[in-house]
């Protein structure tokens, strides 16, 4: 096995670790297996980023059948960034998971929990690195099915309803994607994305291709929870186990955004997507509506996890807003926020996981005076919150800076006002938590509460560390996203 | 003549579809979905897609009907009447249907030899399979080799489903080895079950190993194999079936099939090839392809059969003693 096999090993390692996990009877062993697999995945992801940086786009022909006859794995800079996002979150939630899962899930389910976690990780990575439209659907199914199971394991019975709701919406989304891919195949005779992009212009003016475009767009939009197709998301994030909320919030919707990018830019091409089908205008409208409405709804939530879930819908709006500008600056800004938001939300949900371990609740009313008893956890939450709002020296500021400058250079100055206004709303909902935790008198039950264990605090703070690092020195991430956006759009950035 | 058959089948399909929507009895709806699958399978036969037809018959009409029945046995067979007529889903369905019809307007005509699907990738499969893979069934060569990685992914979907059911419902061990008393009286079922059990298993093995030459392969064979055991469990009780294949063994088999498939891929990497490059498995490429395909089909068969049987065991283990 050589360096050149890395793209496929990235996906095969968690895929092989899943059945091994099923065989291990001891939950500790299953956890160790998942931990090792997720760290290997992170190591490979780092090597891949470095390799793509050095030699450019990687292509791997599975089974040695060259595309379009066989299935191709294809990783460019945008893909490498996505792999890195999934791998970082995947590797950091695992050390966190052991204590949290022991607390939230029945012991007989823990082994199976790690099996499903590995399958979800494998599915998400497979969706990112594949260069084949049908293969993407297959891995989408793996990640979706396993995430339904993961969400349903939440400690309250409502988790089952949330998972079922997600299952119905997710299945509709997946079916739409499958219909779209089927129509594309019918009109071109190929499933390989690069091959599709070369053969589509010839038939682009047919109603079949337009229908295919519509089905794929709506299908993926359900998966990435684009407003107003986000209804499954708040319940799923609220009722899932803490680790699952953190993992899925930080990765699943982001991979959905990446799939949308792939279809818009690589498969259909910018001209068809944005000039002929006017998807940019539609997306911009929905993104603006999503940012405003979901932020406002978040202000009125009494459950902190639900509040963060609505905030996620708004943040996805920012990412889509960047993409909808259809300029290299806009797409690059969208991708910067994609990375940053994954790290921010991962950290915030992990902090809530720490709180849930000690309080057994994520309700705001149970958190009075919490900061005195869990200073490190609450400090992490505040740091993540500042980043979410977009205070300078945090990564959130970098995102908003690039988004605003992309909006200005595109001539969309009202969007700059929107970005500022929604940041203020973000300030309001984060402040509600800070006020309760820092300035309210602790309840009588509170004196028993202790700080979360180090194994859970360290992953949380590592994610916060990434946030702060990007906030101070964003050159690495902007460099990667610029290259990614350049490849996607095929034009140089100034 | 073919037009007539197609029309009749499609009309029946539509009638069945509408009946399923209208039906309040879930038992009847389940039987109708089974009929729906059988009609689709017939359509696939008319279209000369016999591999798909066999899959649809085995999975759609066969195992999923059994699993739905097992679900009904655990829950209820009456659908609750809806509180209000839901308008939004209807609108969504109508828009989707219109989009689909809109999409058909520019499709290549049915059976047109100049359609893109017949000109680009597919001809190469037809042309190269004899030389590169060396098996007569091109469908198997595409599924198991050219696009073998998709098949691994689909196996992973089945595996995920099995792991999911096990996680959500859990397997309940119960003492004793009682035969379901309700069934014990059904002499006919027991005699027929006894007669059919070996035949079904034999047929499963045939479908498993004949996939290179005719319609068949691991997915269909695995399902048929599981159906045989489910019939056995119905006729002679869950306890007796579990003496043949205990739940613990199933869990091992579920993982083993997956690992076998992935193992073939990793082995070909260790031998210096790409992932799932069967050519390097033997001295000459075609034998390597044969070996690779047999092994991965075996992996598929084992995992599919054991997942299906495991899901059935899990459902039945939650049922109160004595019920069917």
């Amino acid at each position: 096995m050589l360096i050149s096999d890395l793209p496929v090993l990235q996906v095969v390692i968690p895929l092989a670790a899943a059945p091994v996990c099923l065989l291990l009877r001891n939950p500790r062993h299953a956890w160790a297996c998942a931990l090792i697999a997720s760290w290997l995945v992170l190591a490979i992801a780092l090597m891949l980023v470095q390799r793509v940086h050095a030699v450019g786009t990687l292509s791997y022909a599975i089974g040695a059948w060259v595309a379009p006859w066989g299935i191709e794995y294809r990783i460019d800079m945008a893909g490498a960034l996505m792999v890195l996002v999934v791998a970082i979150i995947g590797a950091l939630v695992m050390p966190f998971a052991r204590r949290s899962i022991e607390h939230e899930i029945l012991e007989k389910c823990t082994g199976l929990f790690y099996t499903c976690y590995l399958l979800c990780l494998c599915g998400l990575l497979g969706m990112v690195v594949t260069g084949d439209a049908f293969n993407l659907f297959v891995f989408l199914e793996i990640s979706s099915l396993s995430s339904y199971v993961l969400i349903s394991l939440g400690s309250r019975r409502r988790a089952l309803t949330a998972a079922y709701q997600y299952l119905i919406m997710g299945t509709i989304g997946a079916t739409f994607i499958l219909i779209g891919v089927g129509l594309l195949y019918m009109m071109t005779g190929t499933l390989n994305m690069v091959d599709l992009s070369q053969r589509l212009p010839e038939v682009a003016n047919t109603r079949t291709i337009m229908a295919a475009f519509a089905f794929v767009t709506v299908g993926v939009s359900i998966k990435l929870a684009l407003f107003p197709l986000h209804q499954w998301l708040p319940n799923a994030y609220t009722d899932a186990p803490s680790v699952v909320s953190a993992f899925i919030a930080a990765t699943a919707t982001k991979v959905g955004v990446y799939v949308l990018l792939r279809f818009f830019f690589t498969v259909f091409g910018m001209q068809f997507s944005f000039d002929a089908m006017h998807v940019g205008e539609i997306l911009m409208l929905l993104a603006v509506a999503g940012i405003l409405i979901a932020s406002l709804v978040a202000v009125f939530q009494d459950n902190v996890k639900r509040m963060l879930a609505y905030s996620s819908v708004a943040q996805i709006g920012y990412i889509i807003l960047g993409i909808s500008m259809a300029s290299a600056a806009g797409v690059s800004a969208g991708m910067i926020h994609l990375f940053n938001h994954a790290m921010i939300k991962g950290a915030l949900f992990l902090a809530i996981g720490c709180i849930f371990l000690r309080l057994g609740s994520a309700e705001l009313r149970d958190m009075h005076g919490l900061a005195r008893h869990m200073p490190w956890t609450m400090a992490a939450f505040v740091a993540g919150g500042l980043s979410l709002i977009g205070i300078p020296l945090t990564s959130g500021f970098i995102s908003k800076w690039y988004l605003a400058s992309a909006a200005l250079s595109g001539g969309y100055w009202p969007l700059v006002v929107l970005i500022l206004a929604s940041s203020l709303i973000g300030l309001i909902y984060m402040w509600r938590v800070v006020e309760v935790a820092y300035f309210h008198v602790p309840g009588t039950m509170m004196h028993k509460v202790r700080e979360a264990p180090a194994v859970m605090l360290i992953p949380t703070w590592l994610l916060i560390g990434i946030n702060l690092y990007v906030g101070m020195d964003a050159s690495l991430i902007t460099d990667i996203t610029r290259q990614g956006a350049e490849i996607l759009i095929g034009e140089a950035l100034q | 003549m073919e037009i007539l058959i197609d029309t009749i089948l499609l009309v029946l399909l539509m009638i069945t579809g509408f009946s399923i929507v209208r039906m309040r009895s879930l038992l009847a709806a389940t039987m109708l979905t089974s009929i729906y699958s059988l009609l689709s399978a017939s359509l696939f036969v008319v279209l000369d897609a016999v591999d798909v037809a066999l899959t649809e018959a085995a999975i759609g009409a066969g195992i999923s009907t059994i699993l739905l029945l097992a679900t009904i046995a655990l829950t209820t067979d009456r659908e609750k009447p809806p509180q209000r007529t839901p308008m939004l889903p209807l609108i969504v369905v109508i828009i989707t249907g219109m989009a689909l019809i809109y999409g058909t307007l520019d499709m290549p005509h049915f059976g047109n030899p100049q359609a893109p699907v017949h000109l680009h990738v597919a001809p190469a499969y037809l042309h190269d399979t004899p030389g590169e893979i060396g098996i007569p069934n091109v469908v198997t060569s595409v599924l198991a080799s050219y696009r073998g990685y998709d098949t691994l992914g689909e196996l992973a979907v089945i595996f995920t489903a099995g792991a999911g059911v096990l996680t959500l419902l859990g397997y309940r061990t119960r003492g004793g080895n009682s035969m379901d008393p309700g069934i014990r009286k059904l002499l006919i079922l027991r005699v027929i079950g006894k007669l059919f059990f070996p035949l079904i298993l034999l047929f499963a093995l045939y479908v498993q190993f004949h996939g290179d030459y005719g319609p068949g392969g691991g997915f269909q064979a695995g399902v048929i194999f599981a159906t045989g055991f489910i019939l056995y469990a119905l006729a002679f009780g869950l306890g007796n079936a579990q003496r043949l294949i205990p739940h613990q063994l199933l869990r091992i088999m579920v993982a083993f099939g997956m690992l076998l498939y992935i193992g073939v891929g990793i082995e070909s990497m260790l031998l210096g090839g790409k992932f799932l490059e069967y050519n390097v498995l033997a001295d000459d490429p075609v034998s390597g392809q044969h070996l690779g395909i047999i092994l991965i089909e075996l992996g598929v068969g084992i995992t599919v059969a054991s997942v299906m049987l495991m899901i059935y065991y899990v459902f039945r283990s939650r049922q109160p003693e004595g019920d069917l």
Side-chain angles (χ1 to χ4, degrees):
Chain A
M1 279 185 258
L2 295 163
I3 284 288
S4 61
D5 288 321
L6 286 180
V8 76
L9 282 177
Q10 175 88 78
V11 181
V12 166
I13 286 174
L15 185 63
V20 172
C21 246
L22 186 72
L23 288 176
L24 297 170
R25 304 297 299 166
N26 186 331
R28 286 281 171 97
H29 297 166
W31 170 74
C33 172
L35 181 78
I36 293 169
S38 64
W39 283 5
L40 280 176
V41 162
L42 179 59
I44 295 175
L46 289 169
M47 283 195 268
L48 278 175
V49 172
Q50 192 263 333
R51 233 181 114 64
V52 174
H53 196 73
V55 300
T57 304
L58 303 177
S59 168
Y60 185 88
I62 294 169
W65 301 117
V66 290
W69 291 277
I71 293 165
E72 180 195 22
Y73 264 9
R74 196 176 178 85
I75 309 181
D76 57 21
M77 215 50 194
L81 177 75
M82 248 350 277
V83 166
L84 193 63
V85 169
V86 177
I88 290 177
I89 302 290
L92 285 183
V93 297
M94 267 301 105
F96 184 96
R98 193 173 60 83
R99 290 292 299 274
S100 180
I101 289 301
E102 271 173 10
H103 177 246
E104 290 181 37
I105 292 182
L106 294 176
E107 198 197 333
K108 63 178 176 139
C109 289
T110 33
L112 286 159
F113 169 85
Y114 293 114
T115 308
C116 292
Y117 164 77
L118 285 167
L119 287 166
C120 192
L121 183 66
C122 156
L124 292 172
L125 291 166
M127 285 165 74
V128 175
V129 293
T130 192
D132 188 279
F134 184 75
N135 193 246
L136 187 141
F137 169 76
V138 173
F139 279 85
L140 171 80
E141 284 291 89
I142 299 175
S143 72
S144 307
L145 272 184
S146 46
S147 50
Y148 307 145
V149 179
L150 290 175
I151 289 167
S152 71
L153 284 171
S155 44
R156 286 189 298 176
R157 241 188 119 65
R158 281 179 29 197
L160 292 173
T161 327
Y164 183 72
Q165 218 176 9
Y166 183 24
L167 183 142
I168 297 293
M169 286 302 278
T171 308
I172 295 174
T175 310
F176 276 24
I177 295 169
L178 185 62
I179 291 173
V181 172
L183 293 176
L184 287 178
Y185 178 68
M186 172 177 274
M187 298 306 285
T188 58
T190 185
L191 290 166
N192 183 273
M193 289 183 185
V194 175
D195 199 30
L196 270 170
S197 69
Q198 285 157 5
R199 298 174 67 88
L200 270 176
E202 225 177 287
V203 287
N205 285 324
T206 55
R207 284 170 276 203
T208 312
I209 294 298
M210 290 177 196
F213 182 81
F215 274 110
V216 168
T217 307
V218 175
V220 180
S221 300
I222 294 176
K223 295 304 295 187
L224 68 84
L226 177 67
F227 182 88
L229 301 170
H230 67 279
Q231 274 96 348
W232 59 266
L233 186 144
N235 285 340
Y237 285 13
T238 312
D239 296 325
S242 307
V243 176
V244 176
S245 302
F247 178 65
I248 292 190
T251 57
T253 46
K254 311 296 176 293
V255 171
V257 172
Y258 175 77
V259 170
L260 202 64
L261 280 173
R262 273 279 160 246
F263 271 105
F264 282 174
F265 291 97
T266 308
V267 175
F268 287 102
M270 218 170 119
Q271 209 177 3
F272 180 78
S273 309
F274 290 92
D275 297 343
M277 300 303 286
H278 298 288
V279 78
E281 288 86 335
I282 302 168
L283 285 184
M284 194 175 283
L285 201 69
L286 295 178
V288 169
I291 291 170
L292 283 177
I293 296 172
S295 298
L296 283 173
V297 175
V299 174
F300 297 98
Q301 298 308 314
D302 292 323
N303 182 308
V304 181
K305 275 176 99 177
R306 188 174 291 274
M307 182 196 88
L308 291 178
Y310 276 106
S311 142
S312 273
V313 177
Q315 304 290 323
I316 290 162
Y318 283 122
I319 302 173
I320 296 294
L321 189 67
I323 295 167
S324 71
M325 293 174 201
S327 65
V331 173
S332 174
M335 280 166 59
I336 292 173
H337 193 52
L338 188 155
F339 178 87
N340 289 342
H341 180 241
M343 300 302 140
I344 298 170
K345 267 295 147 59
L348 285 171
F349 271 113
L350 285 186
I352 291 295
C354 292
I355 294 174
F356 197 86
L357 179 80
R358 293 304 188 211
L359 287 185
S361 154
E363 299 290 334
L364 205 51
R365 63 168 180 272
D366 296 327
M367 294 184 190
H368 288 283
L370 186 63
R372 277 181 228 173
H373 298 270
M374 302 182 75
W376 286 99
T377 307
M378 276 317 295
F381 190 87
V382 171
L386 291 176
S387 195
L388 193 71
I389 299 160
I391 304 291
L393 290 181
T394 64
S395 62
F397 176 72
I398 304 292
S399 303
K400 290 190 176 160
W401 177 265
Y402 275 87
L403 261 175
S405 61
L408 276 181
S409 65
Y412 304 107
W413 63 265
L415 292 182
V416 182
V417 181
L418 170 86
I419 291 167
L420 283 174
S422 65
S423 298
L424 288 176
I425 306 178
L427 185 62
I428 297 174
Y429 59 71
M430 293 314 289
W431 175 255
R432 289 184 66 214
V433 182
V434 172
E435 193 192 340
V436 167
Y438 281 87
F439 302 110
H440 282 200
V441 184
T444 46
M445 297 298 288
M446 195 55 92
H447 64 272
K448 278 188 294 186
V449 174
R450 286 174 298 131
E451 181 56 273
V455 280
M456 292 169 74
L457 279 176
I458 291 170
T460 314
W461 273 99
L462 279 174
L463 283 177
I464 295 290
I466 295 177
N467 274 312
L468 298 178
Y469 173 74
V470 172
M472 283 179 277
D473 177 14
S475 58
L476 192 65
I477 191 79
T478 51
D479 195 37
I480 293 178
T481 53
R482 189 177 57 233
Q483 285 186 41
E486 270 172 19
I487 293 169
L488 280 169
I489 293 201
E491 66 171 63
L493 260 178
Q494 312 310 313
Chain B
M1 189 60 196
E2 207 178 300
I3 296 264
L4 186 70
I5 296 174
D6 281 343
T7 318
I8 293 173
L9 284 175
L10 284 170
V11 168
L12 285 174
L13 210 56
M14 263 175 61
I15 296 173
T16 321
F18 277 111
S19 320
I20 294 172
V21 176
R22 302 287 306 162
M23 198 61 73
R24 287 278 168 261
S25 157
L26 295 176
L27 191 65
T30 304
M31 296 326 285
L32 283 171
T33 53
S34 177
I35 292 171
Y36 190 92
S37 290
L38 210 55
L39 287 168
S40 329
S42 320
L43 265 175
F44 294 139
V45 173
V46 178
L47 291 169
D48 274 344
V50 275
D51 277 272
V52 190
L54 183 58
T55 316
E56 181 67 45
I59 294 171
I63 196 89
S64 49
T65 313
I66 296 175
L67 294 181
L68 282 174
L69 288 177
T71 314
I72 288 176
L74 280 181
T75 52
T76 169
D77 69 341
R78 293 303 297 183
E79 185 187 349
K80 286 201 188 93
Q83 303 289 322
R84 59 199 160 80
T85 321
M87 282 311 286
L88 186 68
L90 185 67
I91 296 168
V92 171
V93 167
I94 289 174
I95 293 174
T96 311
M98 287 190 338
L100 278 173
I101 293 170
Y102 183 78
T104 59
L105 294 178
D106 283 335
M107 274 182 189
H109 281 286
F110 179 69
N112 178 3
Q114 295 303 311
V117 280
H118 299 306
L119 298 177
H120 185 45
V121 177
Y125 289 146
L126 293 170
H127 182 261
D128 295 340
T129 290
E132 287 178 345
I133 317 274
I135 61 170
N137 187 355
V138 182
V139 176
T140 299
S141 78
V142 174
L143 292 185
S145 188
Y146 292 115
R147 296 189 67 89
Y149 192 63
D150 273 346
T151 308
L152 174 58
E154 274 148 27
L155 189 65
V157 173
I158 305 268
F159 176 84
T160 313
V165 170
L166 199 59
T167 317
L168 281 174
L169 296 181
Y171 176 74
R172 288 184 186 167
T173 36
R174 53 164 71 163
N177 181 27
S178 64
M179 201 186 288
D180 303 316
I183 280 280
R184 195 162 16 190
K185 297 186 200 111
L186 299 175
L187 186 63
I188 295 176
L189 180 66
R190 296 188 60 194
V191 172
I192 298 286
K194 202 173 224 164
L195 267 173
F196 268 68
F197 180 55
L199 289 179
I200 293 177
L201 294 197
L202 197 63
F203 182 60
L205 288 175
Y206 168 78
V207 171
Q208 170 82 45
F209 292 108
H210 203 257
D212 291 3
Y213 303 95
F219 276 99
Q220 298 94 322
V223 169
I224 296 170
F225 201 80
T227 320
F229 272 92
I230 291 171
L231 178 68
Y232 186 83
L234 280 174
F236 298 97
L238 193 61
N240 278 320
Q242 286 181 341
R243 263 200 282 173
L244 284 174
I245 303 187
H247 178 74
Q248 279 313 318
L249 178 65
L250 272 186
R251 202 172 157 134
I252 294 170
M253 279 164 57
V254 166
F256 175 75
M258 275 285 284
L259 289 173
L260 179 62
Y261 202 140
I262 299 168
V264 171
I266 291 179
E267 173 68 8
S268 48
M269 278 203 284
L270 291 175
L271 291 171
K274 303 262 189 198
F275 188 70
L276 292 177
E277 182 180 351
Y278 311 139
N279 285 359
V280 296
L281 292 178
D283 291 336
D284 72 301
V286 173
S287 318
Q289 288 289 339
H290 280 251
L291 183 63
I293 291 177
I294 284 185
L295 286 177
I296 64 117
E297 289 278 11
L298 197 63
V300 172
I302 291 172
T303 292
V304 170
S306 36
V307 165
M308 296 303 155
L309 200 54
M310 188 172 79
I311 294 178
Y312 180 77
Y313 276 5
V314 168
F315 279 17
R316 282 293 301 276
S317 77
R318 295 182 69 88
Q319 225 163 295
E321 201 94 17
D323 287 7
L324 180 59

